[in-house]
Structures are given as structure tokens and as C-alpha cells.
Amino acid sequence: ESFAGTLLLFALPVTLLGCVTPFALRLQTREVNAIGATAGRLYALSTLGSILGVYLTSFVFIQNLGTRRTFLLYSVVLLTISLYALWQRVGIVRALPNAALTALILLLAALSGNNAVKAAPGLLYETESAYNFIQVVQEEGSTLLTINEGQAYQSVYHPNTILLGGYWDLLLVAPYLNSSEPPRSLLIVGLAAGTIAKQFDAVYPGIKMDGVEIDPTIVDIGRKYFEMNEPNLRAYVDDGRAFLRRTDARYDVIAVDAYRQPYIPFHLTTVEFFQQVRAHLSPRGVVAVNAARTPGDDRLVNAIAATMRQTYPTVVLVDHPKKANTLVLASAERVSLDDFRARLAALRDPTLRYAADIVQSEVRVATADEPVFTDDRAPVENLIDAIIFDFAFGDTSK
């Protein structure tokens, strides 16, 4: 839907803009023997404009004005240039209707400037950050965080319940892959608005928690709308891999849940990354990676599991019953599935019991050997694109 809308909206103007340089070359050419110099000047000017357009848009305008105002700014510049050229050619009187139409368009754009970019039932807040388009939605008593208009929620908060019915619940029993003792420390790579942190704090009071989130706006939203104010949580605005490179801390659980919907950053899926993660695990440490999936398609899950098997002797998979997510759990120690199930069976806390029952029935040993992602080659985006394409067109045979 978004792709089709974008195509309809921009196909014609982008095509017309592509015609500008060849047309300008034709207008500027007076002599055949000067056509090379004329083309060189025009294409040099075009290249300079492209460079400025990319860098100013990415690093100046979008960060300071936002996407909506950046589009409006470029529209004003293009319309102004066009009106000036029209005025030079036909005179100010004949150009006035076009100027009036431009003024009307700008007025309508200004009046609609405070409207939601994408209206949604229960919308509480909407903003653009340097990294994401962010919405906070209220639905049936829960507060939901959604990023970049995807079909999934990155964080959920309900003031009256710990269990949320999602893959987050299953993470609560991940520490028991290696030990019968509750975890003492947790690192979350992909903190978002703090769903994992809030659940762990409720089940394991006082646990030391570090959360890494690359987008500072999302951290602020977590504190304002999701009650992400646990005193034992330290939130770091950083890239997850860069944070691991700088810290010496070790953790009983490292949860990796970093999506820029619908993609996982490739550098958080490689052998080299998981080697870094292993170096920050305590002797009883467990790493848990959330891998989104579609029913019947294990390609992304298998790729992450195969990659992790290059570093960890124990890798197991836990499908969430809704078949939209699989947790990939790994340990630097050799652990049998029977021992893991026995530790889960011994849990008595009602919240943990709920998650343990699901994990006991769904857990299986990872057996995939390929593909293996490395820093040199990790085509995770191509793989996710293929999964989405096959799901959209009904091919679930992969």
C-alpha cells in the first residue's frame, strides 16, 4: 500500500525532473562543436546539486525540519524557480494565475501542518526523529509503540498486567537455559520503550538492567508514555555493537531485539557480533535473539541460528504460538534440552509458569548450518525482502 502510494505520487515528477538536464542541454547548445563543454557544465551542476541534495536532506533538513517540512521546502524552491522562469518568458500578468495557485497550495500545506501524517484510532502522539517515524497508540487499555508504519508493535505497556501475550513473555524464562537461579543482570540491545525491562523488573525485582537504544526520541517517549522509570534501569543512547565494544560489563542475559522495521541491522546478525556478545556473558549467561517470521517460513530464523552456532555450542529455538516470532536462545556452555525442560518444570511463580509451559512445548534444538552471516557478507535485508514477498503472494513453501 505504501509502495503503491509512493509510486503514484512520485513517478511522474521524478521522471520529469530526469528530463531537465537533457532538455537544458538542447536549449543551451548553440554550436555543435561546443556541445561537449555545455554538457560538461550542465552535468557538473547536476552532480553538485545531487550531492548537496543528499547531504543537506539527510544531515540538515530532515533532522531539523522533519520530512513534511523538508518536502514543503523543496516544493517551494522548485515552484519559485518555475514561476520566475515563467515570469521571464510570458510576463508578470500571465504568470499571476500560477502564482496564485502556488500561494493557495502553500496556504493549505501550512494549515494542515499540525495534522497527523498517518491518522490512527487511539493515536496519542506522533513525531519524527533522526531515525524513525514514531507513533504511540492507545488500544484496549494498552499503550503501543509503532515505528515506520509497520504491522508490528515495538513496545507494549499495560499498567495492570505483566504478561502481554507476545514473544516478550517467553524471554522471562530464557535465563533458565543455563541455571536454576534467577538472573542478576540483563542487557537489552534494542530497548525501545522498555517492555522487556518492565517485565524483568516485575518478575526479578532489583535486577541490574542496561538498555541500549539508538534513537533518543524513543527513550524519551518510553519515559513519558510507557512508565519506563525503573530505578535499576540505565538507558544508553547508542548503537548496540558500539556499546559492547566500549563496555567491560558481563550479563546473565543479553536480549537482542533491535529492529528498524521490518529489518534487523545487518551488523547485529553476524558471527563477529555474536562473538562480541559471548565476551560479555557471565559464566551462566544466555543470549536471546528475537527473529520475526511468517508461518511456515524459517529462513531468517535458520540464518540467525546457523550464524550463532559458529560461536555457541548450544542453540535452541522457541516459536511463539502465533508463529510471528521465534526466540533463538544460545549458551556458551553445552546444555541438553532435557535439563532445560527440567529447570522450566521446576518453576512455581505463576508468571514464569505461563511462559515455561509454552517454551517447554515449543523448544527445539537448532540444526541449520547455513547461511552464515559475517561482517563481510550479511544479506539480511535481501532475505527479509524475499520472506515478505513470498508471504504477500501466498508462497509459504520455503
Side-chain angles (χ1 to χ4, degrees):
E1 182 180 336
S2 297
F3 174 76
T6 302
L7 189 64
L8 289 172
L9 186 62
F10 292 111
L12 179 60
V14 167
T15 301
L16 292 175
L17 285 173
C19 298
V20 169
T21 302
F23 187 64
L25 176 61
R26 172 65 181 86
L27 294 177
Q28 289 294 313
T29 300
R30 298 289 184 268
E31 299 177 3
V32 175
N33 60 2
I35 193 170
T38 303
R41 286 194 298 271
L42 287 174
Y43 278 101
L45 182 63
S46 173
T47 301
L48 177 62
S50 298
I51 293 171
L52 289 175
V54 168
Y55 284 100
L56 288 176
T57 301
S58 302
F59 298 110
V60 179
F61 294 139
I62 287 180
Q63 292 201 35
N64 292 285
L65 301 178
T67 304
R68 184 202 296 260
R69 291 190 179 93
T70 297
F71 271 104
L72 183 59
L73 173 65
Y74 283 149
S75 300
V76 169
V77 171
L78 290 173
L79 285 169
T80 301
I81 294 172
S82 301
L83 287 171
Y84 176 75
L86 185 64
W87 170 55
Q88 291 288 320
R89 185 172 181 83
V90 303
I92 190 169
V93 174
R94 294 179 65 183
L96 277 177
N98 299 83
L101 179 60
T102 300
L104 178 61
I105 292 172
L106 295 178
L107 177 63
L108 292 174
L111 291 175
S112 64
N114 294 324
N115 294 343
V117 173
K118 183 181 179 183
L123 183 65
L124 296 178
Y125 181 69
E126 178 185 276
T127 191
E128 291 180 84
S129 72
Y131 296 93
N132 299 292
F133 170 66
I134 306 166
Q135 290 183 309
V136 179
V137 178
Q138 190 85 38
E139 185 177 291
E140 297 180 357
S142 295
T143 305
L144 312 172
L145 175 72
T146 182
I147 297 172
N148 301 325
E149 303 181 84
Q151 300 300 312
Y153 296 114
Q154 281 62 54
S155 291
V156 179
Y157 167 64
H158 195 293
N160 301 321
T161 183
I162 299 172
L163 296 170
L164 300 166
Y167 67 91
W168 306 282
D169 300 343
L170 308 186
L171 281 168
L172 290 170
V173 297
Y176 301 100
L177 177 64
N178 254 2
S179 172
S180 299
E181 298 298 319
R184 299 157 300 184
S185 56
L186 166 70
L187 171 65
I188 307 165
V189 178
L191 175 64
T195 298
I196 296 172
K198 188 166 293 297
Q199 288 186 307
F200 267 78
D201 181 62
V203 175
Y204 306 109
I207 182 175
K208 174 194 170 191
M209 299 185 293
D210 291 339
V212 185
E213 171 57 52
I214 199 170
D215 192 335
T217 303
I218 292 178
V219 174
D220 293 338
I221 286 172
R223 289 172 174 149
K224 183 175 181 180
Y225 291 97
F226 291 79
E227 299 296 327
M228 193 180 72
N229 300 309
E230 292 78 12
N232 49 324
L233 170 64
R234 291 181 297 181
Y236 296 88
V237 176
D238 205 345
D239 172 80
R241 190 158 171 178
F243 173 83
L244 287 172
R245 188 170 60 247
R246 287 192 287 266
T247 186
D248 295 325
R250 291 176 177 265
Y251 302 90
D252 290 345
V253 181
I254 297 180
V256 182
D257 190 18
Y259 272 83
R260 191 177 189 278
Q261 192 165 227
Y263 303 108
I264 305 176
F266 86 92
H267 66 291
L268 302 183
T269 66
T270 66
V271 171
E272 292 84 353
F273 169 68
F274 290 117
Q275 288 171 344
Q276 272 188 298
V277 170
R278 178 170 178 166
H280 291 279
L281 289 175
S282 69
R284 58 190 257 195
V286 174
V287 55
V289 180
N290 170 41
R293 53 170 294 173
T294 58
D297 195 328
D298 295 331
R299 281 179 288 177
L300 178 61
V301 175
N302 289 338
I304 291 175
T307 302
M308 294 176 73
R309 291 184 69 203
Q310 304 299 304
T311 302
Y312 303 94
T314 299
V315 179
V316 300
L317 307 176
V318 182
D319 294 333
H320 188 269
K322 294 179 181 178
K323 303 301 182 185
N325 300 84
T326 294
L327 291 184
V328 186
L329 307 180
S331 167
E333 305 293 328
R334 293 198 177 276
V335 179
S336 75
L337 212 55
D338 288 340
D339 288 344
F340 182 32
R341 286 195 173 110
R343 283 189 283 270
L344 293 175
L347 296 173
R348 292 293 174 261
D349 178 274
T351 301
L352 293 178
R353 184 74 262 141
Y354 167 84
D357 288 343
I358 295 175
V359 173
Q360 280 180 288
S361 63
E362 296 288 345
V363 66
R364 65 188 191 278
V365 174
T367 58
D369 294 319
E370 57 181 23
V372 174
F373 292 159
T374 65
D375 283 353
D376 181 61
R377 185 175 183 274
V380 63
E381 292 187 1
N382 291 342
L383 178 58
I384 292 174
D385 286 340
I387 292 170
I388 294 171
F389 182 86
D390 289 340
F391 178 75
F393 289 93
D395 183 0
T396 60
S397 60
K398 304 300 184 193

